[in-house]
Amino acid sequence: MTDQPYSLTIKELVRHLSTHVNLGLTDREAQKRLAIYKANIIPEKGVKNKWQIFLSQFVDPIIYILLGATILAMAYRDWAEATAIVVVILITVSIGFVMEQQALRSLDSLRKISQTQVLLIRSGTRVKIKATMVVPGDILLLYPGDLIVADARLIEQDSLLVKESSLTGESISLEKHTKVLPNKLPITEQHNMVFKGTMVSGGTGKAVVTATGIKTQLGKIQNLGLQAKQEQTPLEKKLNQLSKRLIALTFILTILIILTGYIKGQDLFLMLQTGIALAVATIPEGLPIVATIALARGMVRLSKKQVIIKNLEAVEALGATNIICTDKTGTLTEDRLQVHSIQWNKEKVLEVVHKNEVEFYGLSQEMAFNEIMVCSILCNDAPLQDTNGPADTVDVALLSMTRNCGYEPMAIRKGFVEVDQIPFSTERKMMATLNKGSHKYVTHAKGAFETIIDRCTTELKGTQKIVLEDRDIWVKLVDQMASKGLRTLAFAYSEWSTRPNAAQMLEQLTFLGIVGFIDPARADVKETIAIYKRAGIRVVMITGDHLETAKKIAGDIGILDKSDTMNGAMSASDLGDLMNIDSKKASQILHTNVFARVVPEQKLNLVKFFQKHGNIVGMIGDGINDVPALRKAEIGIAMGLRGTEAAREAADMILKNDKFTAIETAIHQGRVIYRNIRQFVVYLLSSNFAEVLSIGLAALWLLPSPLLPLQILFLNLITDIFPALALGLGKGDKGIMSLLPRKSFEPLMTPNHWYATLLYGLAISTGVLGITAYGYFILEVTPQTTNNMAFYTLILAQLLNIFNIPKAGESFLRNEVTKNYWVWLALVICLFLAYAAIAYKPVANALSIVPLSWLQYKIIIVFAFSTLVLAQLFKRALFVIKKVDL
Ligand code: ATP
């Protein structure tokens, strides 16, 4: 492959790459090349293979401690103990390995679903394929909003503009051409090339792929190590922080327990072993990975509901989202436009809906009406024949209007050839064309009323051009149309005897009139907005449309309450500098739910403004100009069918079926996952706390130890992992959408979570210490039998602890935990493993198990269940008396 494709002629390059400008590669050839050049991806740095994942499990404080324990056991020549600990190490490492693999696999499959698609020519036909399958020699077709997926040399272009900020940092769009360039140019000057990772901001083009994957300019840069390391999500950071604090606390407690036991006359070796085992058991090493699994599973579940979440962080942010910014057209409305009425000559208005052709007869004699029709045909990008191709819905509706009014677009376009165009853009809010007739040039312009009328000096009265003096009448007429919820568009034109230049084209236009479109609200939107309201989430409409149209639609679907219609909406021109405003204005904006006539830059500023005031923002966008706002928002949301590839790339979440309502499913899922994570943290910590407390107090009170070192390790493997995982996979309950969103600054563990942890831990250790004292002092059984009774009580009590997790306000029997079948499965597995361990002699010996009588088993059951009763009594009493819902 040449490394300077920009310096070759197109012919040379195409020959060099053995491809064809119009036919592209054949599928077979493409397959062959894929095998040679490999998939078009830049491998992420730091991705571990299976062995690395396995070995990395050993790099863990828990394993170090366990290795220390093995050495200690060997030093005391306790070979059985040493072997048992080695087995524990192997099991721990294997569990970590399997869980990490599982998490990575889920993430990987999601990455595949969200892959970028690209349009290219293969075997002479246009096909859409996954970007990863692109190979050198492929012919790419480029359209506005497309993401460029490989380095390619341009073969054809029409006003092509490319944004290369991701590669060069340059934020303005660059014009591209197809001419040959000299050798040895830096990429910033290779204007006949397009590069992977950049995007088309305007115009169209066709290019032949010269490099893919790691060989692209982006690949080379990333290979230099410039790519940011994959960051931990905030949740992972919080969990790691929590783990670290708990490790420190555990060490202090362990040392205290060892010292106390030793001073009180317990055996030093036993105390050292107990200390080590306790440290292992109480370090919540599984937290981050269980959290990752819970998040990843949530993503998989959402993908089945047509919502693609691209990163774990987004799932977490979803649960805290309290503002959703959305555009109007296509998201809240159907975007199936139909012309409703036409207004010209101030007093003439025609409702076109439901009228037939006959009624329009004679109207073409009215000059303004006729010019609006001609303008609708000429200042229009919709193709006349291929009605299935991509086209602006405004333009399509206008063409159909002209046909209904008896016009023949084809004939008119033939008579007036387009010689120049100012394309529509959201910033400009208008479009204009210059057309050449038989002996004149005509400018046709259509767009937002304010932008069009500002350029007009005259208007039509009959066939006369008169000075446009009374703008206010037109303003009133537009407001009237808009307040019915119609989308409005203004029309103007001007005639020239000689060709005007681009600047002149839009000067001194003659105003023609306005057209109003119906764009009905989507059926299910109103209901969804009501759900958001109940869930404490504000929906803010940020639209490019007219204020009155926006207000009417917003009122219809419930974004604006009846009482809000005066204050809840504002035009973007009143926003001012959002980063420098007084508190009164800030509060007004924070209470505004509709922003009209907004340009993309203001969208970004609004997102920043909301974030600055402590909000977690979800932002829906579809254009290339929305990319900065999509990136800035905590949750950037793009549509799978509508909108540009660039928006989908920048977004965190893609709604595959374009349904606004799908966001609700995602938020619900986000909330459930966060709650699940909190639940298993409370479950794990309270169980661990019970172990520390039981052993510590037993040592202090000179009771037989309720837990021997290997028993602790056994518990750690059994009762911790399965129930915690099961809680992580819970589906939550419907009521979660009637709660307010989580506050962004809220810690993972709120005071209530800590109280719950302490309460459940205390309840369990009361039962364990109770049975220890009962067995030792009242039944007067041997220390070993006492220990066994306490050990079994602890196993059972920890398993029962899972039923403490639902809120006190919920029913004890029917709640999200009892409805979670994973929980029941986990309990069955744990009980089975416990039974198997006790029944299997070698393990039973290692765990110092002795036979117990039926009476002793019954006592165990009574003590174990009493821990649940105790915790529930306290929890429900707190709820009734103090209204604290743990
Ligand atoms: P939203 O931002 O909610 O999608 P919108 O589609 O009205 O609403 P924009 O696409 O930014 O927002 O359009 C802004 C304005 O530009 C429209 O209200 C309309 O007056 C005008 N406009 C829209 N499409 C065209 C077009 N194809 N040609 C000329 N003017 C247009």
Side-chain angles (χ1 to χ4, degrees):
M1 238 187 296
T2 168
D3 56 350
Q4 299 188 9
Y6 51 89
S7 62
L8 301 181
T9 63
I10 294 171
K11 225 176 178 179
E12 281 166 349
L13 184 64
V14 166
R15 195 174 332 115
H16 183 80
L17 289 167
S18 311
T19 183
H20 191 282
V21 174
N22 295 324
L23 303 177
L25 299 171
T26 61
D27 287 328
R28 260 186 74 191
E29 178 60 24
Q31 286 301 328
K32 261 197 233 159
R33 292 191 188 192
L34 192 62
I36 299 169
Y37 297 108
K38 304 282 174 297
N40 175 28
I41 25 178
I42 301 170
E44 272 176 54
K45 288 214 160 244
V47 175
K48 294 185 269 184
N49 64 26
K50 270 191 191 166
W51 274 107
Q52 286 166 321
I53 295 175
F54 182 73
L55 291 177
S56 69
Q57 305 302 320
F58 287 91
V59 189
D60 187 326
I62 305 271
I63 304 294
Y64 305 154
I65 299 172
L66 283 173
L67 284 174
T70 320
I71 295 168
L72 187 74
M74 291 197 307
Y76 277 84
R77 302 194 169 278
D78 191 341
W79 305 116
E81 177 100 7
T83 320
I85 302 176
V86 170
V87 172
V88 169
I89 293 179
L90 289 178
I91 297 178
T92 311
V93 165
S94 310
I95 292 177
F97 173 70
V98 171
M99 295 218 281
E100 195 165 333
Q101 279 271 80
Q102 163 73 27
L104 288 176
R105 220 174 291 145
S106 313
L107 289 179
D108 219 40
S109 61
L110 284 163
R111 222 169 274 142
K112 282 191 189 126
I113 304 177
S114 61
Q115 268 176 11
T116 308
Q117 297 270 328
V118 38
L119 191 66
L120 44 75
I121 301 180
R122 286 256 175 103
S123 309
T125 42
R126 290 163 152 241
V127 283
K128 219 170 191 186
I129 63 165
K130 287 199 173 127
T132 48
M133 314 294 280
V134 171
V135 290
D138 264 330
I139 306 290
L140 295 179
L141 298 170
L142 306 173
Y143 290 95
D146 280 355
L147 201 74
I148 296 165
V149 301
D151 288 1
R153 163 75 197 275
L154 286 166
I155 310 171
E156 289 169 19
Q157 64 92 25
D158 182 7
S159 320
L160 187 70
L161 290 173
V162 178
K163 251 193 187 163
E164 297 189 341
S165 48
S166 54
L167 197 64
T168 61
E170 179 63 70
S171 63
I172 51 166
S173 296
L174 293 173
E175 282 179 24
K176 295 280 175 174
H177 60 71
T178 55
K179 289 178 234 145
V180 180
L181 291 168
N183 274 333
K184 296 201 175 120
L185 287 182
I187 52 171
T188 43
E189 288 172 31
Q190 296 172 17
H191 296 313
N192 59 7
M193 294 285 296
V194 288
F195 300 103
K196 183 176 172 76
T198 62
M199 58 176 97
V200 183
S201 51
T204 56
K206 191 171 168 186
V208 54
V209 174
T210 54
T212 57
I214 194 90
K215 294 274 189 309
T216 57
Q217 295 296 338
L218 191 70
K220 285 180 195 160
I221 294 176
Q222 293 193 357
N223 213 24
L224 288 177
L226 293 180
Q227 185 194 13
K229 239 180 73 190
Q230 252 217 341
E231 288 235 348
Q232 286 183 324
T233 71
L235 179 69
E236 282 171 330
K237 275 189 205 144
K238 277 184 196 166
L239 284 169
N240 276 333
Q241 226 171 33
L242 180 71
S243 289
K244 275 192 194 134
R245 284 203 195 125
L246 288 171
I247 290 175
L249 188 70
T250 307
F251 270 109
I252 297 171
L253 284 176
T254 313
I255 290 170
L256 275 180
I257 288 175
I258 296 174
L259 283 179
T260 322
Y262 183 60
I263 294 166
K264 288 261 175 182
Q266 302 265 27
D267 176 43
L268 177 64
F269 176 50
L270 179 70
M271 285 323 291
L272 277 176
Q273 279 183 318
T274 310
I276 289 174
L278 253 189
V280 172
T282 45
I283 292 174
E285 82 284 1
L287 279 188
I289 188 75
V290 177
T292 310
I293 290 185
L295 292 171
R297 282 276 314 185
M299 290 163 81
V300 173
R301 216 177 268 170
L302 280 173
S303 74
K304 289 187 187 136
K305 296 186 174 163
Q306 308 291 311
V307 180
I308 307 295
I309 306 270
K310 297 205 303 193
N311 56 51
L312 288 179
E313 217 162 305
V315 185
E316 195 187 326
L318 272 171
T321 307
N322 65 338
I323 290 189
I324 295 174
C325 297
T326 167
D327 55 350
K328 172 180 69 67
T329 313
T331 308
L332 302 175
T333 64
E334 298 271 5
D335 200 19
R336 270 195 278 116
L337 294 185
Q338 194 189 352
V339 173
H340 177 279
S341 33
I342 309 169
Q343 172 97 46
W344 72 100
N345 280 5
K346 284 180 189 150
E347 69 280 2
K348 302 244 172 134
V349 61
L350 176 77
E351 292 209 353
V352 260
V353 265
H354 314 308
K355 288 235 157 68
N356 60 40
E357 221 175 281
V358 184
E359 293 173 64
F360 299 116
Y361 185 76
L363 278 177
S364 57
Q365 305 306 316
E366 301 248 359
M367 191 165 163
F369 180 87
N370 184 52
E371 284 301 336
I372 289 176
M373 293 296 136
V374 174
C375 185
S376 298
I377 293 167
L378 296 177
C379 186
N380 188 316
D381 273 339
L384 296 182
Q385 258 128 21
D386 177 17
T387 44
N388 293 322
D392 190 313
T393 44
V394 169
D395 287 350
V396 173
L398 286 175
L399 273 192
S400 134
M401 166 193 80
T402 59
R403 287 192 179 110
N404 287 344
C405 292
Y407 284 77
E408 273 187 40
M410 182 81 86
I412 292 179
R413 282 200 190 171
K414 271 195 186 138
F416 288 88
V417 183
E418 186 177 307
V419 288
D420 201 357
Q421 188 189 92
I422 298 172
F424 170 72
S425 80
T426 316
E427 285 96 345
R428 220 180 276 129
K429 297 203 188 311
M430 66 166 296
M431 165 183 181
T433 52
L434 182 67
N435 300 83
K436 188 170 183 289
S438 45
H439 18 249
K440 61 174 178 183
Y441 287 88
V442 191
T443 299
H444 289 106
K446 71 178 200 299
F449 171 72
E450 307 88 300
T451 35
I452 294 293
I453 199 129
D454 280 351
R455 297 172 193 278
C456 293
T457 46
T458 52
E459 63 182 310
L460 277 183
K461 187 165 188 182
T463 53
Q464 296 295 309
K465 278 187 190 168
I466 57 163
V467 179
L468 176 74
E469 269 171 350
D470 203 355
R471 278 175 52 132
D472 288 351
I473 297 188
W474 280 113
V475 173
K476 237 187 241 154
L477 291 171
V478 170
D479 282 355
Q480 259 170 24
M481 243 191 216
S483 57
K484 289 187 206 152
L486 298 183
R487 226 174 149 213
T488 55
L489 206 63
F491 288 78
Y493 86 125
S494 65
E495 291 172 321
W496 311 84
S497 48
T498 55
R499 181 175 172 159
N501 61 31
Q504 288 170 326
M505 222 174 106
L506 290 178
E507 277 171 13
Q508 306 196 341
L509 301 182
T510 302
F511 194 79
L512 293 170
I514 40 181
V515 167
F517 301 81
I518 326 174
D519 183 13
R522 288 187 183 225
D524 41 7
V525 160
K526 190 170 180 178
E527 201 182 310
T528 313
I529 287 175
I531 296 176
Y532 288 143
K533 274 199 178 160
R534 257 177 274 137
I537 301 167
R538 260 179 67 200
V539 178
V540 174
M541 181 197 275
I542 302 183
T543 176
D545 212 338
H546 192 280
L547 182 64
E548 292 304 321
T549 316
K551 268 164 57 172
K552 172 74 172 84
I553 301 275
D556 286 351
I557 57 179
I559 289 184
L560 283 184
D561 288 335
K562 290 276 171 287
S563 56
D564 268 352
T565 38
M566 288 306 286
N567 312 319
M570 74 161 61
S571 190
S573 51
D574 299 333
L575 278 176
D577 176 5
L578 278 173
M579 292 300 128
N580 281 312
I581 47 174
D582 59 37
S583 56
K584 193 170 159 228
K585 182 86 189 240
S587 141
Q588 187 200 356
I589 294 173
L590 286 171
H591 287 92
T592 300
N593 284 350
V594 173
F595 298 91
R597 289 293 189 230
V598 176
V599 293
E601 194 196 335
Q602 288 169 317
K603 264 192 197 178
L604 174 66
N605 289 340
L606 275 170
V607 172
K608 285 187 190 158
F609 175 80
F610 287 137
Q611 288 175 328
K612 192 173 142 198
H613 289 84
N615 298 292
I616 302 284
V617 183
M619 165 91 213
I620 305 175
D622 49 15
I624 184 169
N625 294 322
D626 293 334
V627 166
L630 285 173
R631 290 230 161 92
K632 182 76 191 128
E634 277 82 0
I635 308 280
I637 307 165
M639 301 295 172
L641 306 174
R642 202 161 46 86
T644 58
E645 202 57 64
R648 282 191 281 276
E649 232 286 318
D652 305 290
M653 181 162 126
I654 300 172
L655 309 179
K656 276 183 94 178
N657 53 10
D658 281 17
K659 287 227 170 95
F660 177 68
T661 43
I663 305 172
E664 186 226 320
T665 321
I667 289 184
H668 180 265
Q669 191 63 248
R671 288 185 174 193
V672 168
I673 291 171
Y674 207 83
R675 176 136 121 195
N676 287 347
I677 290 174
R678 279 178 157 166
Q679 287 183 341
F680 71 66
V681 173
V682 169
Y683 174 77
L684 275 180
L685 294 191
S686 55
S687 297
N688 291 349
F689 175 55
E691 289 167 24
V692 181
L693 203 63
S694 305
I695 295 178
L697 290 178
L700 200 65
W701 294 334
L702 283 182
L703 289 169
S705 179
L707 268 180
L708 297 173
L710 282 178
Q711 292 172 345
I712 301 175
L713 297 181
F714 178 75
L715 263 186
N716 192 37
L717 290 181
I718 291 198
T719 49
D720 278 7
I721 291 171
F722 293 106
L725 265 178
L727 284 175
L729 299 179
K731 286 196 180 134
D733 64 333
K734 285 233 162 2
I736 204 158
M737 284 308 271
S738 49
L739 303 174
L740 291 180
R742 193 181 77 233
K743 299 273 182 301
S744 56
F745 50 81
E746 213 174 87
L748 176 68
M749 293 279 283
T750 63
N752 272 3
H753 292 114
W754 284 115
Y755 297 147
T757 307
L758 291 181
L759 172 64
Y760 309 152
L762 270 174
I764 298 175
S765 32
T766 308
V768 173
L769 287 170
I771 200 165
T772 313
Y774 185 76
Y776 196 59
F777 294 120
I778 300 189
L779 296 179
E780 293 187 0
V781 290
T782 61
Q784 205 172 2
T785 306
T786 311
N787 158 277
N788 277 202
M789 289 169 74
F791 174 48
Y792 291 155
T793 306
L794 187 62
I795 294 182
L796 271 183
Q798 286 197 349
L799 293 181
L800 290 172
N801 188 23
I802 206 161
F803 298 109
N804 284 324
I805 296 300
K807 293 258 171 209
E810 288 181 59
S811 144
F812 179 73
L813 293 178
R814 279 188 65 76
N815 54 53
E816 56 189 306
V817 168
T818 55
K819 280 190 240 160
N820 177 353
Y821 51 83
W822 292 108
V823 164
W824 296 104
L825 184 68
L827 292 183
V828 170
I829 294 177
C830 289
L831 285 173
F832 172 76
L833 286 177
Y835 170 76
I838 293 158
Y840 184 53
K841 267 267 169 273
V843 181
N845 285 343
L847 293 176
S848 315
I849 299 295
V850 290
L852 297 186
S853 69
W854 275 115
L855 176 70
Q856 285 161 347
Y857 279 120
K858 281 182 203 156
I859 295 171
I860 290 166
I861 290 175
V862 170
F863 271 91
F865 273 89
S866 65
T867 62
L868 179 63
V869 174
L870 202 63
Q872 286 294 318
L873 280 180
F874 268 106
K875 183 171 165 145
R876 285 169 198 271
L878 264 178
F879 182 59
V880 175
I881 302 165
K882 293 255 177 202
K883 297 274 165 279
V884 178
D885 195 358
L886 293 183

